[in-house]
């Protein structure tokens, strides 16, 4: 059997006594943790399935987990009512419309957004929200799209719309040491807004790779200099308060399943009404149109005012799932976002301290964290690589397989964040270029042995791969302790060799995933 098919057994020396004494020490170092005990109660009550199955879930940036009560409330609602497709005048339709409107209002109040200023546009996910901006923002020759290097690919992809309309595209670099932006450089980039053009600046409130949280006061700074600001909040809002009475980005992208696990298939674009007026939709569809004629006179979307969302919600929204958003947001409110945040930060701090303390007797570090090594301006997402005693990196696939065996859900690859991946692994422009030789710019190609640049792609992807753990709503001490125990076991294992054929098989998946 190959090494990949038979993952290595992690040599765990777990004992409840050792865990208890570490927990006591942890609470002494992070006394605020005690104030978050409601989440331990909820973990037992609402998420017992995790412990029944011995699952250690550390992929909250990939997707949040739902509470049992969310499902029950939603199912009860559906079982006890008759709902039709909204936006009609019949009774079942109006009943649904009412709940959809309630969900919009709940989202606004959750984020403290004034209904006079912001509007909610339902989308399938954060990517759907970003795509709406990409295709409708008035990019043009003389205009600009400026973005930080650490954006998710769903933001990076907007550059294709920008370039195709002749706008210039520029990335603001992040520093290899901590994957943050040099603020002096930011000022220079922001100072280049073209006063007569349309300028869009996009950044993540939290990087889904490094956990870096960029300052939200960039929003006002950028807007004052002539930029429209797109703040990607997909990785930020699950464990941080976003107060839109304090911060006023023009566009915000969110996926609800990342906040409270259920429902999937729904996100939103939170948009300033004034900024929406700027957008020009490239087409119309059912649901978006105020008036259109088949005699080709014209078509017209209502893009302004309280009903502006109608111009952006294509076809029928996922209406039966929408009430589950209100249920989820109320659930989070009952716990309190500050409690969730505090807990995640305590556990992240403990993990960072302990991961970085692992060293071989020859002095070689075991873990290299990509991004901030302490709790300063970061969230609960940690990207890292592991090293053998001789300084060579662990194959991430070996780690993934061993984690699966230990029932630990973590993620490997570059997490759709090539910028942070390239910088943290010091991948040069030339190395990247070798993946695109012989290909037309931006063409799609099948990744496989028939790809002309297969070998170069494989080498780059292998070099760029990291491991990511992310903490969330119901992470508890036992999760992070057992994860540390797992790392400790890996450190003690002899080096595993992976054959080239196995690497080829697995690398195809490396660039995938949120
Ligand atoms: C920061 C960030 N932006 C955007 C996305 C895309 O989210 P979705 O796949 O739900 O559209 C993700 C997904 O992980 C993300 O972390």
């Amino acid at each position: 059997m190959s090494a990949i098919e038979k993952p290595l057994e992690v040599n765990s020396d777990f004992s409840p006594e050792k865990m208890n004494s570490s927990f006591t020490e942890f609470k002494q170092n992070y006394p605020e943790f005690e104030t978050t005990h409601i989440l331990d109660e909820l973990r037992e009550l609402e998420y017992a399935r995790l412990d029944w199955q011995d699952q250690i879930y550390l992929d909250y940036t990939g997707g949040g987990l739902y509470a049992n009560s969310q499902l029950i409330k939603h199912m009860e609602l559906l079982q006890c009512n008759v709902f039709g497709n909204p936006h009609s005048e019949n009774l079942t339709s109006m009943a649904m419309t009412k709940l959809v409107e309630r969900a919009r209002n709940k989202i606004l109040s959750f984020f403290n957004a004034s209904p006079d200023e912001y509007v909610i546009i339902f989308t399938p996910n954060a990517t759907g929200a970003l795509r709406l901006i990409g295709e409708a923002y008035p990019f043009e020759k003389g205009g600009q799209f400026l973005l930080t290097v650490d954006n998710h690919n769903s933001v990076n992809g907007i550059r294709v719309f920008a370039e195709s309309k002749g706008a210039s595209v520029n990335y603001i670099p992040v520093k290899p040491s901590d994957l943050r932006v040099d603020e002096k450089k930011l000022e220079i980039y922001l100072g280049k807004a073209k006063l007569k053009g349309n300028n869009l600046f996009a950044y993540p409130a939290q990087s889904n790779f490094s956990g870096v949280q960029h300052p939200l006061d960039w929003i006002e700074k950028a807007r004052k200099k002539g930029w429209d600001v797109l703040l990607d909040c997909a990785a930020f809002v699950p464990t941080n308060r976003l107060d839109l009475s304090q911060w006023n980005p023009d566009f915000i992208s969110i996926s609800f399943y990342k906040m409270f696990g259920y429902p999937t298939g729904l996100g939103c674009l939170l948009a300033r009404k004034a900024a929406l007026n700027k957008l020009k939709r490239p087409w119309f569809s059912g649901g978006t149109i105020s008036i259109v004629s088949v005699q080709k006179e014209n078509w017209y979307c209502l893009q302004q005012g309280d009903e502006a969302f109608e111009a952006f919600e294509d076809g029928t929204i996922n209406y039966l799932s929408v009430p589950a958003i209100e249920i989820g947001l109320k659930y989070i409110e009952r716990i309190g976002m500050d409690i969730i945040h505090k807990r995640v930060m305590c556990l992240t701090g403990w993990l960072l301290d302990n991961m970085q303390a692992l060293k071989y007797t020859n002095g070689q570090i075991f873990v290299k964290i990509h991004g901030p090594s302490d709790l300063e301006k970061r969230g609960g997402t940690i990207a890292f690589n592991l090293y053998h005693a001789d300084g060579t990196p662990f194959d991430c696939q070996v780690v993934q397989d061993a984690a699966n065996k230990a029932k630990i859900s973590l993620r490997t690859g570059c997490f759709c964040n090539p910028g942070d991946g390239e910088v943290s692994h010091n991948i040069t422009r030339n190395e990247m270029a070798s993946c695109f030789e012989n290909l037309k710019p931006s063409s799609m190609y099948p990744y496989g042995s028939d790809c002309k640049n297969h070998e170069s792609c494989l080498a780059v992807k292998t070099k760029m791969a990291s491991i990511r753990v992310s903490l969330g709503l119901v992470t508890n001490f036992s999760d992070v302790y057992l994860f540390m125990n797992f790392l400790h076991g890996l450190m003690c294992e002899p080096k595993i060799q992976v054959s080239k054929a196995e690497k080829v098989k697995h690398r195809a998946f490396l660039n995938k995933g949120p």
Side-chain angles (χ1 to χ4, degrees):
M1 205 180 243
S2 73
I4 288 230
E5 282 159 354
K6 182 180 181 308
L8 59 89
E9 294 276 353
V10 171
N11 180 11
S12 151
D13 65 345
F14 172 80
S15 84
E17 292 73 35
K18 279 192 196 162
M19 185 165 95
N20 280 341
S21 85
S22 293
F23 190 36
T24 307
E25 199 182 310
F26 162 71
K27 284 189 287 187
Q28 280 159 3
N29 291 335
Y30 294 91
E32 333 69 297
F33 186 79
E34 293 278 24
T35 63
T36 72
H37 67 88
I38 183 182
L39 285 162
D40 287 309
E41 290 162 24
L42 286 175
R43 165 91 177 227
E44 271 183 43
L45 207 71
E46 296 271 16
Y47 306 83
R49 62 191 185 279
L50 276 174
D51 297 316
W52 290 339
Q53 295 186 10
D54 291 329
Q55 298 274 0
I56 301 164
Y57 188 80
L58 293 173
D59 193 18
Y60 285 86
T61 301
L65 296 180
Y66 50 81
N68 288 350
S69 62
Q70 284 172 253
L71 303 184
I72 292 166
K73 282 192 179 139
H74 188 219
M75 286 309 128
E76 272 175 7
L77 183 81
L78 298 185
Q79 279 167 353
C80 300
N81 290 281
V82 183
F83 293 123
N85 190 328
H87 293 132
S88 178
E89 301 293 314
N90 67 59
L91 290 179
T92 50
S93 173
M94 285 193 292
M96 194 67 243
T97 303
K98 203 166 147 196
L99 287 187
V100 171
E101 292 322 306
R102 254 174 52 182
R104 283 190 214 280
N105 291 335
K106 186 74 221 164
I107 299 166
L108 287 171
S109 75
F110 185 88
F111 292 112
N112 227 350
S114 160
D116 295 333
E117 190 175 9
Y118 280 98
V119 69
I120 305 293
I121 295 162
F122 285 120
T123 58
N125 44 32
T127 302
L130 294 162
R131 183 194 172 120
L132 283 178
I133 303 301
E135 64 186 18
Y137 190 80
F139 291 119
E140 65 202 348
K141 221 168 178 255
Q144 293 191 73
F145 180 40
L146 177 66
L147 65 170
T148 55
V149 147
D150 59 350
N151 274 292
H152 188 274
N153 269 340
S154 297
V155 177
N156 288 327
I158 293 176
R159 77 180 193 213
V160 180
F161 290 111
E163 276 162 353
S164 68
K165 291 180 187 166
S168 65
V169 175
N170 292 297
Y171 277 104
I172 306 176
V174 293
K175 291 175 281 163
S177 55
D178 56 5
L179 301 180
R180 293 188 195 281
V181 167
D182 177 340
E183 297 255 351
K184 284 198 194 108
K185 284 199 180 144
L186 175 84
E187 294 285 343
I188 296 170
Y189 280 97
L190 289 181
K192 291 183 182 166
K194 304 251 165 64
L195 292 181
K196 287 198 181 133
N198 289 307
N199 308 285
L200 181 65
F201 170 47
Y203 73 98
Q206 177 173 319
S207 159
N208 71 315
F209 184 108
S210 63
V212 159
Q213 293 184 343
H214 296 302
L216 296 181
D217 61 12
W218 290 0
I219 299 164
E220 217 32 52
K221 229 180 236 181
R223 288 186 61 203
K224 277 194 183 136
K225 293 190 176 188
W227 297 90
D228 296 313
V229 178
L230 163 54
L231 188 69
D232 179 14
C233 287
F236 180 79
V237 288
T239 55
N240 296 277
R241 182 174 293 286
L242 176 67
D243 182 348
L244 293 179
S245 69
Q246 192 182 356
W247 313 109
N248 299 101
D250 296 283
F251 308 108
I252 298 144
S253 48
I254 285 170
S255 275
F256 290 108
Y257 70 90
K258 289 193 191 288
M259 296 181 75
F260 37 78
Y262 176 85
T264 51
L266 269 173
C268 80
L269 171 64
L270 251 156
R272 287 183 61 242
K273 289 179 183 170
L276 272 189
N277 289 342
K278 247 187 161 176
L279 302 187
K280 287 202 167 42
R281 294 225 62 196
W283 79 319
F284 62 82
S285 64
T288 65
I289 208 78
S290 292
I291 185 158
V292 61
S293 160
V294 291
Q295 297 173 69
K296 295 220 268 181
E297 272 305 308
N298 209 337
W299 55 279
Y300 177 70
C301 286
L302 188 67
Q303 226 175 277
Q304 290 169 14
D306 290 346
E307 308 301 311
F309 59 84
E310 286 187 353
F312 294 88
E313 289 176 353
D314 290 329
T316 301
I317 58 169
N318 185 355
Y319 60 88
L320 286 180
S321 292
V322 166
I325 297 174
E326 186 183 0
I327 293 168
L329 290 175
K330 282 185 172 166
Y331 176 76
I332 300 284
E333 275 177 345
R334 276 197 301 278
I335 303 166
M337 186 52 94
D338 295 340
I339 299 272
I340 298 167
H341 176 80
K342 207 186 286 178
R343 185 180 181 91
V344 165
M345 294 325 288
C346 290
L347 293 169
T348 303
W350 184 87
L351 258 190
L352 286 170
D353 293 344
N354 281 278
M355 288 169 79
Q356 292 172 103
L358 291 177
K359 289 207 172 88
Y360 294 97
T361 46
N362 65 0
Q364 167 66 41
I365 54 159
F366 178 55
V367 182
K368 179 176 189 298
I369 306 275
H370 303 302
S373 56
D374 58 24
L375 287 184
E376 181 76 15
K377 288 197 237 132
R378 63 130 59 238
T381 302
I382 307 176
F384 59 96
N385 280 84
L386 300 179
Y387 292 85
H388 295 284
D390 63 4
T392 54
F394 266 71
D395 187 288
C396 289
Q397 190 59 47
V398 168
V399 179
Q400 177 76 73
D401 290 342
N404 288 349
K405 191 119 200 284
K407 290 194 161 185
I408 296 174
S409 292
L410 48 69
R411 207 167 263 263
T412 53
C414 84
F415 330 118
C416 277
N417 194 321
D420 268 343
E422 285 166 36
V423 175
S424 58
H425 292 284
N426 197 18
I427 295 180
T428 62
R429 198 186 180 106
N430 280 348
E431 277 175 283
M432 285 312 300
S434 68
C435 298
F436 302 104
E437 268 165 29
N438 312 316
L439 293 167
K440 278 189 251 147
S442 72
S443 64
M444 310 282 257
Y445 66 94
Y447 182 78
S449 48
D450 49 344
C451 166
K452 288 204 180 91
N453 306 316
H454 180 68
E455 287 299 319
S456 327
C457 291
L458 187 62
V460 167
K461 284 184 168 213
T462 305
K463 190 171 165 191
M464 202 150 106
S466 303
I467 307 154
R468 184 184 80 185
V469 289
S470 50
L471 281 50
L473 189 59
V474 284
T475 308
N476 62 13
F477 184 74
S478 149
D479 291 331
V480 293
Y481 181 84
L482 290 172
F483 172 66
M484 276 312 300
N485 206 54
F486 163 78
L487 285 189
H488 211 261
L490 274 183
M491 195 179 171
C492 302
E493 282 291 326
K495 200 166 168 178
I496 292 245
Q497 300 293 343
V498 182
S499 77
K500 196 172 160 196
E502 284 160 343
K503 281 187 183 167
V504 169
K505 194 172 95 196
H506 287 277
R507 284 307 165 268
F509 298 100
L510 274 185
N511 224 1
K512 302 228 170 91

